[in-house]
Amino acid sequence: MTKNVFVIGLNDHNAERLKRLRGVEDVEFHQLLTPAQVSDTQDFDIPAMLDEARGTLDAFGGSIDAIVGYIDFPVSTMLPILCREYGTKQTSLEALLKCEHKFWSRSVMREAIPDHIPKFTAFDPFDDDALSKIGEADLRFPFFVKPIKSSGSRLGFRIDSPEDFDFAIEKLRAEIRTIGEPFDHVLAQADLPEDIRAVEGHYCMAEQVIGGRQCTVEGYVHDGNVVPYGTVDSIRYPQVLSFFYYLYPSTLPARVQQKMWEITRTIMGHIGYDNAGFNIEYYWDEVQDRIWLLEINTRIAQSHCDLFEMVDGVSHQQVTIDLGLGRAPDMPRGEGPESVAAEFFYRVFFRDARVARIPSAAEVQVAAETVEGARIVSYVSKNMMLSELPEQDAYSYAVASVWMGAGKQSKLLWNYEQVMKKLNYEFADIVE
């Protein structure tokens, strides 16, 4: 009997990828809301999205066996609401918010894994005395600020001086309500402790600066069993906060990875997160031999899908689909054609610029053919302003991504250089 799985924001590329998963011969995938509505935009009208999704589901004539997604806000926060209403598997809204509400998340981490988190406090960016209150919380320069709910590295800033803080506050005040207000709608659906309810969707976090070698542990919880299944390194451009590439498998020492997996089991069990995928970002400070937990994301990382498929044999969307259908994930290991795989980010470090030239479709195809199995996605169009790109960090713009596999890491880097030599982007009206 056919099982019907509704995927929020499903696009053509992922529809093809889902067909290659294990055990989906009797599964039919349906799009629920379009990518334009949930990811290619910065306008998140969650009540309208939920109403449209309900309309689609109510009008469907067959069984609704799973409702899933693998995109960050707003998709991640809508899933528990829809799954609760339609009786499909997913973690509770409260457990999800203990991960996604950054102040609540740090608060529960302090209960379970206090040795692996930095000093932190919440603050209102519209409070003119915010900087002094951060100081009263025993946070000194440098520190990091970010929204209590964001996606990617959007609106995250390192603060080394009062001037840095003023710059960050100006940006936060201008943009934070685009996420803060829809997040408030989600918070209103949940049973929150009073101290958490007081920290509204437009609030921000200030945290002690932590660092080291960064990575992401991908995992899931099935019927209370916490299962980490892979670690992906996050390599940054030199001297900046922007990511250069994600590398799988991780090159961190095995003992460090095992300790991260142990911390992962502890915190996810403490939160009560269940029947859903997640990933946790960590730092390993080599000098102090200390592991820091940066944040928990309540979904698989979509950027890592190709990496798992190249190295392990299937995209880790396998986890999302299996859990949505109420079954233990059938995630293989080491059954792919490559030993290592990476997603590279081609970035420009302007404050803004106009895209004067992009590679043609034919040029992109020729570049991709330079390396067997490579995939290239360009995020810009001719004459657009880089500031129109959604979900960017505060220091650069990701113009394109390149996914590829190889037999070793050094070959990956060489192959990336060969591909980029064939991709010609040009920019005008540059604001440095």
Side-chain angles (χ1 to χ4, degrees):
M1 188 173 180
T2 300
K3 296 181 177 66
N4 296 293
V5 175
F6 287 82
V7 185
I8 301 181
L10 181 63
N11 61 22
D12 291 342
H13 175 74
N14 281 300
E16 287 301 312
R17 183 193 272 147
L18 292 174
K19 294 176 184 176
R20 299 196 294 270
L21 299 181
R22 296 180 168 198
V24 297
E25 297 81 7
D26 60 345
V27 174
E28 187 170 345
F29 296 102
H30 307 268
Q31 184 188 72
L32 187 62
L33 303 175
T34 67
Q37 291 173 289
V38 299
S39 57
D40 303 336
T41 179
Q42 298 187 56
D43 180 19
F44 304 121
D45 187 344
I46 288 183
M49 291 184 204
L50 287 170
D51 284 345
E52 182 170 337
R54 292 179 184 115
T56 300
L57 294 167
D58 291 343
F60 185 68
S63 62
I64 299 171
D65 299 290
I67 305 171
V68 302
Y70 36 78
I71 301 171
D72 205 340
F73 188 83
V75 171
S76 57
T77 49
M78 290 192 292
L79 278 170
I81 297 172
L82 291 171
C83 290
R84 180 178 61 196
E85 293 176 7
Y86 290 88
T88 60
K89 285 283 189 177
Q90 175 62 226
T91 197
S92 70
L93 180 58
E94 288 74 18
L96 178 134
L97 289 173
K98 286 180 184 179
C99 303
E100 292 214 4
H101 186 300
K102 287 185 172 35
F103 180 70
W104 197 3
S105 187
R106 283 301 192 205
S107 298
V108 296
M109 290 178 200
R110 185 165 52 194
E111 297 167 359
I113 52 167
D115 294 339
H116 302 288
I117 64 169
K119 296 177 183 177
F120 66 94
T121 190
F123 69 94
D124 184 345
F126 295 94
D127 180 355
D128 291 336
D129 293 326
L131 185 56
S132 62
K133 291 177 180 176
I134 290 170
E136 291 169 5
D138 198 27
L139 280 165
R140 303 287 184 265
F141 299 121
F143 57 87
F144 204 78
V145 301
K146 55 189 175 183
I148 64 153
K149 180 68 203 99
S150 187
S151 55
S153 301
R154 186 182 176 200
L155 296 178
F157 302 90
R158 180 187 166 103
I159 308 299
D160 289 285
S161 67
E163 291 75 22
D164 286 347
F165 189 74
D166 290 342
F167 173 79
I169 286 295
E170 181 182 356
K171 289 281 193 179
L172 288 163
R173 288 177 175 178
E175 300 180 35
I176 198 167
R177 291 199 187 278
T178 61
I179 287 185
E181 290 181 0
F183 192 49
D184 276 332
H185 177 81
V186 174
L187 295 176
Q189 317 299 309
D191 182 13
L192 305 177
E194 284 305 312
D195 60 327
I196 302 303
R197 191 173 294 282
V199 181
E200 300 175 26
H202 69 274
Y203 271 54
C204 294
M205 292 283 287
E207 294 190 345
Q208 167 193 354
V209 170
I210 55 178
R213 292 173 62 180
Q214 188 172 356
C215 68
T216 300
V217 172
E218 295 281 355
Y220 64 84
V221 190
H222 176 245
D223 290 346
N225 185 29
V226 183
V227 182
Y229 58 83
T231 306
V232 180
D233 288 340
S234 303
I235 314 297
R236 296 182 185 271
Y237 279 86
Q239 308 304 316
V240 294
L241 293 174
S242 302
F243 291 118
F244 178 23
Y245 63 100
Y246 298 142
L247 176 70
Y248 179 67
S250 170
T251 58
L252 291 174
R255 66 171 182 86
V256 174
Q257 293 187 54
Q258 288 301 318
K259 181 61 178 177
M260 289 176 176
W261 286 25
E262 178 184 322
I263 296 167
T264 296
R265 294 185 188 98
T266 299
I267 187 59
M268 299 311 288
H270 180 72
I271 286 170
Y273 191 87
D274 203 2
N275 294 313
F278 66 86
N279 67 72
I280 303 183
E281 298 174 55
Y282 287 100
Y283 285 113
W284 175 47
D285 182 334
E286 293 179 84
V287 176
Q288 299 184 56
D289 193 20
R290 185 168 184 177
I291 293 171
W292 298 101
L293 193 158
L294 178 59
E295 64 182 21
I296 304 170
N297 300 302
T298 57
R299 42 148 184 91
I300 65 162
Q302 192 176 176
S303 281
H304 299 163
C305 289
D306 283 0
L307 312 189
F308 280 96
E309 187 164 19
M310 290 175 185
V311 174
D312 290 335
V314 297
S315 161
H316 65 154
Q317 286 161 310
Q318 184 78 50
V319 167
T320 300
I321 302 306
D322 282 341
L323 290 171
L325 290 169
R327 59 198 190 192
D330 182 18
M331 191 67 202
R333 182 181 293 267
E335 296 184 15
E338 308 290 358
S339 299
V340 296
E343 177 191 6
F344 291 90
F345 298 93
Y346 170 57
R347 295 181 181 272
V348 291
F349 294 85
F350 309 138
R351 183 163 294 185
D352 204 357
R354 179 174 58 82
V355 181
R357 185 191 188 280
I358 62 171
S360 67
E363 289 173 321
V364 171
Q365 182 176 345
V366 168
E369 290 172 352
T370 304
V371 178
E372 184 178 357
R375 184 169 74 90
I376 301 170
V377 174
S378 182
Y379 301 123
V380 296
S381 56
K382 187 175 179 180
N383 290 324
M384 76 177 289
M385 299 300 293
L386 291 174
S387 55
E388 296 172 31
L389 284 167
E391 304 300 328
Q392 301 297 305
D393 67 35
Y395 303 98
S396 68
Y397 294 98
V399 174
S401 285
V402 181
W403 290 266
M404 60 178 66
K408 56 185 179 179
Q409 184 179 358
S410 58
K411 183 63 172 176
L412 277 175
L413 293 164
W414 167 262
N415 286 345
Y416 173 69
E417 293 297 327
Q418 308 319 302
V419 169
M420 291 312 302
K421 286 177 182 178
K422 293 180 167 58
L423 295 178
N424 182 22
Y425 290 89
E426 296 177 6
F427 304 91
D429 306 325
I430 295 172
V431 181
E432 295 289 355

